[in-house]
Amino acid sequence: GITYLDHAGSALFPESLLKAFTDDLRNNVYGNPHSQNISSKLTHDTIEHVRYRILQHFHTTAEDYTIIFTSGCTAALKLIAESFPWIPEGTKQHSSRFCYLTDSHTSVVGMRGITASMNVLSVPIQPKEIFLAKSRLSAEEQNCTTPHLFSYPAQSNFSGTKYPLSWIQDIKSGKLCPIKIPGKWFVLLDAASYVSSSPLDLGVHQADFIPISFYKIFGFPTGLGALLVNNRIAPLLRKTYFGGGTAAAYLAGEDFYFPRKSVAERFEDGTVSFLDIIALKHGFDVLEKLTGGMEKIKQHTFALAHYTYTVLSNLKYANGAPVVRIYSDTDFSNPDVQGPIINFNVLDENGEVLGFSQVDNMASLHNIHVRTGCFCNTGACQMHLDISNEDIRRNLQAGHVCGDNIDLVDGRPTGSVRISFGYMSSFEDAQTFLNFIIAIRLSKSDPEIPFQSVTKPTTESVPDENLSFNHADKLSPILQISDRELRNIPSETETTGSWQPPEPEAESIRAAVSETAVPTCRKSGKPITVTKIYLYPIKSCSAFEVTEWPVGNQGLLYDRNWMVVNQNGVCMTQKQEPRLCLVNPSIDLKQKIMVIQAEGMDPISVSLEDNTGKEAVICESKVCSHRVKTYDCGERIAGWLSAFLGRPCRLIRQSSDMKSKSHQKNTKGLSPAANISLSLVNEAQYLLINVASILQLKEHISARLKEPLETEELIRRFRANIVISAPESFEEEEWAEISIGALQFQVVGPCSRCQIICIDQQSGERNKEILQSLSAARGRKTNFGIYLMNQPLRSSFSDMLSVGSQVLPVLKENTEIQPPTSREEKCSG
């Protein structure tokens, strides 16, 4: 099964919520709430009931707060920035300030774009500056009416740190000042992360603005949030645009508009997402029924986080080095200051960080879902990972952008790994994760680790009235670990501080696979030849081996011209459906057909002729981040594939008349302004691997496997187009260009491997050890093979690529190849 550990990203919805919601829709007719008929009045009344239910959940009433429905927390923040009564610079009055904690979500920091357009200054505040702030405004300064806004998160989405809710009253009263400036402070409490696992009492902590997203709490519906506005500031909010349902009266021919009296109606432009709002009622019902309330969720999730943190922070290598570096401001001892989020990076035995993409790939092999990167919180990422402003700019120049998989630049991490627990999380989830970390980093020869002694914890029971969880839905009790189990656990500073590794007693396994095994130039030696050629007519399906093959403008002719998509038109790969490797396409150039075979199925053929006439259905699809024009290959092959794979799917083909426009890559080093046309590949026209590199890797993999691995099987796992035999292992990584016959290729970069190499291409079975062995052998990298591009053909005749052809490489001046910089994994699909 799946171990889901990204509850801070989104909660999971229970089946009972969907059933209750769909039953409601079957039994009632809900019309547009702006109409006056019976079904519309039912919708209006139900929406109003949900508003009161939300207020009740946060322990407040309609006398104090108004609910404005939005598309999410981000839209709520944008609404605040646009409507807050700012006083700009250059007026006779004191001007307003927008202050925000640097440990804030991108959507909060992004508000400064709107304030800047209004000529209002933004001031970032470090958390330590607030904690150290002692100054308070004088009575005269507090009498100034200039409005200022301070925003901070109730809980950091990066580290789970809970910032004091007492700041709300302290700042509003003038006892605590973000910056010393005359005026009246209002407080924006970003509660999106906090309310997913903790109760928020607005009767006590009366912030002026509280934006939330409901999928963080319930998992469903998505695309729906709310802004809770304190009624004392609501009349001061400004609004320029008016949409449907917001006007009491207006004239189309004159500049006359009178808004509705209700604050919610004034700010909810157009028809609200009324069915999603109705789903919230069932969300609250189910949450209460399953858990008994937010306080129990808080205790349950913190117990899991505390246990996991305790074990994780105590894992050590044989040389005493920590296995992970945890990024936290607390010691996970108090649920009032720490949420159920653990942020960390995995280290090797020498204290070097393993890239988060590699850890994510490994986790995927174990069906563990984590989050990696900077989590839309650059400020916290910089603070915890010690990344300077100049580092951010330099990383951008190196090709790293938010959300991609470039996890290390010059050996330093660009982000980290985050796990987070929710009300559905179980003790078994925590154990599975810890076992995973132990499996990938600690060998059987290592001494006893703390996890082996910390099994099911000693507990203090929590009242369990109204609980009806299934298997993983049971609430964990408050966790307590005995002194005996904790006797060797070091302090937080010892586990996460600046540990210095001792001198290694033996060479690391990484030294066994050299990444710089080539001299500066290749003058002589054994010739390099092409030994195998593969094309993959259908993306992510079986290889078609040939001895010679025509080369077209997009690579090998017909290579990855087709792909299988699910019922939503999304590309399917072996990551989601390993049995795709059992679909065997072959190309018959004479008959101009592709024959597709699979065990237990009659062969079926598809024409190689383009079918882009009136009968073809043209559609847009995406391959990684690239948008491509495709057409559907019809019902017959769709039925064949659906029957074999056991799920609805279709075969689509790249539209030939759109190839030159829809999927191109501008590559440096080719002809000026050359746009290289791609088929349905992820990154480049060709992927090349070296048999010598395969053989060296095989030695390391075989040492870790119970059964020997055949060389041919390993070659097929790496799904290359061109297989060569070079004398030295990994010497291909030192090449800048190569020639094969009359064909000239530029080396684009290394191929960073994903979990597809763990799939046996003959059986469809997974073996996690393959990717783990590659990572261990290559020294915290999963690169294997190189990408190639070649110039568009100028001749009307196709060149041929043949087995036995000689390969002539040109060495790089700079021996390090930078990996491709798009977000997706660059494995060959």
Side-chain angles (χ1 to χ4, degrees):
I2 291 173
T3 302
Y4 183 81
L5 294 175
D6 188 25
H7 290 269
S10 174
L12 296 178
F13 57 82
E15 184 179 345
S16 54
L17 192 164
L18 286 189
K19 185 178 186 305
F21 177 48
T22 53
D23 286 348
D24 189 346
L25 296 186
R26 275 194 295 268
N27 295 328
N28 295 285
V29 176
Y30 292 106
N32 189 314
H34 291 166
S35 300
Q36 298 300 314
N37 57 60
I38 295 174
S39 60
S40 298
K41 288 181 178 179
L42 175 62
T43 303
H44 178 271
D45 292 344
T46 306
I47 290 173
E48 293 310 302
H49 170 76
V50 173
R51 290 190 206 271
Y52 286 116
R53 188 68 182 272
I54 296 169
L55 293 170
Q56 183 185 33
H57 182 78
F58 293 116
H59 305 281
T60 188
T61 66
E63 280 69 43
D64 291 326
Y65 283 92
T66 294
I67 303 288
I68 300 173
F69 287 113
T70 65
S71 63
C73 184
T74 295
L77 292 165
K78 185 170 180 283
L79 189 155
I80 297 167
E82 292 172 336
S83 60
F84 189 81
W86 308 105
I87 296 177
E89 293 283 310
T91 63
K92 294 181 179 179
Q93 294 177 265
H94 289 288
S95 56
S96 296
R97 295 291 185 271
F98 169 52
C99 293
Y100 58 89
L101 209 64
T102 52
D103 185 359
S104 288
H105 194 278
T106 303
S107 298
V108 171
V109 181
M111 293 171 66
R112 72 187 184 198
I114 294 175
T115 61
S117 69
M118 298 178 176
N119 202 19
V120 173
L121 294 179
S122 297
V123 182
I125 306 290
Q126 298 276 351
K128 61 184 179 183
E129 294 174 335
I130 289 287
F131 282 113
L132 295 174
K134 300 294 183 185
S135 61
R136 62 180 300 159
L137 295 177
S138 64
E140 182 181 349
E141 289 174 317
Q142 289 185 51
N143 288 334
C144 175
T145 58
T146 297
H148 308 295
L149 182 64
F150 175 66
S151 173
Y152 78 99
Q155 175 177 290
S156 169
N157 73 313
F158 183 94
S159 64
T161 296
K162 291 181 177 178
Y163 290 102
L165 296 178
S166 59
W167 284 359
I168 297 169
Q169 185 55 35
D170 288 348
I171 289 173
K172 291 175 69 173
S173 67
K175 180 180 176 182
L176 183 65
C177 296
I179 57 173
K180 188 124 171 84
I181 188 172
K184 181 176 177 59
W185 283 96
F186 295 88
V187 177
L188 190 173
L189 183 72
D190 178 6
S193 177
Y194 182 90
V195 298
S196 64
S197 58
S198 297
L200 177 61
D201 190 339
L202 294 181
V204 176
H205 307 292
Q206 296 193 343
D208 298 291
F209 304 98
I210 304 96
I212 59 173
S213 286
F214 290 107
Y215 72 92
K216 301 272 189 182
I217 307 173
F218 307 121
F220 177 86
T222 58
L224 181 66
L227 175 62
L228 283 74
V229 182
N230 194 307
N231 289 337
R232 280 172 289 194
I233 191 176
L236 303 178
L237 299 181
R238 303 165 179 168
K239 191 167 184 283
T240 52
Y241 174 81
F242 59 95
T246 64
Y250 77 96
L251 292 173
E254 292 183 22
D255 186 11
F256 172 76
Y257 161 73
F258 195 83
R260 286 185 176 269
K261 185 176 182 181
S262 161
V263 173
E265 289 179 317
R266 226 187 313 153
F267 282 91
E268 291 171 351
D269 290 303
T271 301
V272 294
S273 187
F274 55 90
L275 293 182
D276 286 337
I277 293 171
I278 292 168
L280 295 181
K281 172 191 177 299
H282 303 288
F284 283 115
D285 289 343
V286 169
L287 193 73
E288 185 67 30
K289 180 181 178 182
L290 290 179
T291 69
M294 293 304 299
E295 182 60 34
K296 290 185 178 180
I297 292 176
K298 172 184 170 182
Q299 297 297 334
H300 164 65
T301 55
F302 177 75
L304 295 176
H306 171 72
Y307 168 68
T308 306
Y309 169 86
T310 302
V311 177
L312 195 62
S313 61
N314 200 27
L315 295 180
K316 297 283 191 294
Y317 289 104
N319 64 0
V323 174
V324 299
R325 178 180 297 137
I326 297 175
Y327 305 111
S328 174
D329 301 307
T330 79
D331 60 359
F332 281 74
S333 61
N334 185 349
D336 292 330
V337 298
Q338 177 64 51
I341 293 173
I342 303 175
N343 198 307
F344 65 96
N345 267 318
V346 177
L347 309 176
D348 68 11
E349 54 272 27
N350 296 314
E352 298 293 325
V353 172
L354 274 70
F356 60 73
S357 291
Q358 181 182 337
V359 177
D360 195 15
N361 283 337
M362 298 291 190
S364 296
L365 289 177
H366 291 75
N367 279 331
I368 298 173
H369 296 192
V370 300
R371 178 82 177 264
T372 59
C374 269
F375 323 104
C376 295
N377 191 333
T378 298
C381 197
Q382 284 187 261
M383 178 173 65
H384 286 283
L385 274 66
D386 194 24
I387 301 173
S388 68
N389 292 347
E390 185 55 38
D391 290 335
I392 295 288
R393 294 186 178 96
R394 189 163 49 246
N395 291 349
L396 180 61
Q397 290 177 343
H400 169 58
V401 297
C402 292
D404 68 14
N405 63 349
I406 299 178
D407 46 20
L408 297 172
V409 175
D410 297 330
R412 297 184 61 195
T414 62
S416 54
V417 182
R418 185 186 74 185
I419 62 170
S420 50
F421 298 99
Y423 76 88
M424 286 189 176
S425 299
S426 66
F427 177 77
E428 287 70 26
D429 292 336
Q431 279 192 313
T432 299
F433 168 74
L434 290 166
N435 277 324
F436 155 69
I437 294 294
I438 291 165
I440 66 169
R441 298 314 306 166
L442 297 175
S443 68
K444 294 178 182 177
S445 62
D446 284 320
E448 183 176 334
I449 49 177
F451 177 69
Q452 293 169 329
S453 65
V454 185
T455 53
K456 195 79 172 180
T458 308
T459 61
E460 180 181 298
S461 63
V462 172
D464 59 356
E465 303 85 27
N466 303 320
L467 297 186
S468 57
F469 279 66
N470 296 323
H471 58 283
D473 293 344
K474 292 184 179 177
L475 292 177
S476 292
I478 297 173
L479 179 145
Q480 296 191 356
I481 300 176
S482 69
D483 291 339
R484 178 182 61 82
E485 291 168 330
L486 290 173
R487 65 184 182 274
N488 293 321
I489 294 180
S491 67
E492 182 188 12
T493 55
E494 290 175 317
T495 55
T496 62
S498 55
W499 173 84
Q500 295 296 323
E503 289 296 322
E505 298 178 4
E507 279 193 325
S508 166
I509 190 173
R510 292 190 304 277
V513 181
S514 170
E515 296 186 23
T516 56
V518 178
T520 54
C521 60
R522 199 170 199 283
K523 296 180 180 178
S524 60
K526 186 178 178 182
I528 303 172
T529 58
V530 175
T531 60
K532 292 180 181 293
I533 300 171
Y534 297 104
L535 62 148
Y536 306 83
I538 305 176
K539 183 178 175 66
S540 230
C541 290
S542 180
F544 176 45
E545 185 175 0
V546 296
T547 54
E548 67 172 10
W549 199 255
V551 171
N553 286 340
Q554 295 184 306
L556 292 172
L557 194 62
Y558 300 118
D559 182 45
R560 295 177 177 89
N561 271 204
W562 292 264
M563 67 180 177
V564 181
V565 298
N566 65 14
Q567 69 269 32
N568 296 322
V570 176
C571 175
M572 292 168 58
T573 71
Q574 290 182 30
K575 291 181 184 180
Q576 301 87 29
E577 182 51 79
R579 296 183 75 241
L580 281 170
C581 71
L582 306 179
V583 176
N584 298 290
S586 59
I587 302 291
D588 188 326
L589 293 175
K590 291 183 179 179
Q591 296 190 51
K592 296 184 177 180
I593 58 171
M594 174 174 64
V595 179
I596 307 173
Q597 302 179 76
E599 186 176 351
M601 304 290 292
D602 292 330
I604 189 171
S605 62
V606 175
S607 174
L608 299 183
E609 299 289 339
D610 280 329
N611 180 24
T612 52
K614 291 182 179 179
E615 72 279 7
V617 178
I618 300 292
C619 55
E620 280 201 349
S621 303
K622 292 193 80 173
V623 178
C624 293
S625 57
H626 307 291
R627 191 169 294 280
V628 293
K629 289 284 186 180
T630 59
Y631 66 86
D632 192 285
C633 294
E635 297 297 333
R636 183 166 159 266
I637 183 61
W640 190 96
L641 287 167
S642 299
F644 177 70
L645 296 174
R647 58 194 296 182
C649 54
R650 306 190 70 83
L651 184 70
I652 62 175
R653 184 181 186 183
Q654 188 176 16
S655 179
S656 62
D657 60 336
M658 296 293 181
K659 285 178 183 177
S660 61
K661 300 177 183 178
S662 61
H663 195 186
Q664 296 179 334
K665 188 176 184 71
N666 186 275
T667 305
K668 295 185 291 183
L670 299 177
S671 64
N675 277 327
I676 303 303
S677 181
L678 300 179
S679 60
L680 300 176
V681 294
N682 288 2
E683 183 62 26
Q685 294 171 332
Y686 304 87
L687 176 59
L688 177 148
I689 63 173
N690 178 5
V691 173
S693 306
I694 286 283
L695 292 175
Q696 189 147 3
L697 179 64
K698 179 184 172 185
E699 292 181 20
H700 296 283
I701 294 177
S702 298
R704 298 167 68 110
L705 294 177
K706 295 179 181 178
E707 298 180 3
L709 198 64
E710 295 296 327
T711 303
E712 182 67 24
E713 178 190 341
L714 195 54
I715 288 173
R716 285 185 172 269
R717 285 176 183 265
F718 286 98
R719 296 179 63 81
N721 296 112
I722 304 169
V723 183
I724 62 165
S725 62
E728 301 287 342
S729 60
F730 299 103
E731 69 169 277
E732 64 275 11
E733 295 187 352
E734 311 305 329
W735 300 343
E737 301 174 16
I738 66 170
S739 299
I740 305 177
L743 294 168
Q744 303 286 325
F745 299 90
Q746 181 192 3
V747 177
V748 179
C751 178
S752 178
R753 295 298 180 161
C754 68
Q755 58 263 39
I756 286 182
I757 67 170
C758 296
I759 299 171
D760 184 335
Q761 296 298 299
Q762 302 300 313
S763 66
E765 295 178 356
R766 294 181 189 266
N767 187 331
K768 304 169 188 173
E769 195 61 52
I770 306 298
L771 187 62
Q772 293 176 10
S773 297
L774 175 63
S775 171
R778 303 241 54 205
R780 301 185 295 120
K781 294 181 181 179
T782 54
N783 294 346
F784 196 93
I786 55 174
Y787 286 119
L788 306 176
M789 292 282 206
N790 77 317
Q791 293 275 18
L793 296 176
R794 298 180 181 87
S795 166
S796 59
F797 300 99
S798 293
D799 280 323
M800 302 292 287
L801 190 64
S802 304
V803 169
S805 298
Q806 189 168 357
V807 179
L808 300 175
V810 175
L811 299 186
K812 293 182 294 181
E813 294 179 8
N814 181 354
T815 57
E816 184 173 357
I817 301 176
Q818 292 299 323
T821 57
S822 69
R823 173 176 184 159
E824 303 293 335
E825 284 301 323
K826 299 305 177 293
C827 58
S828 182

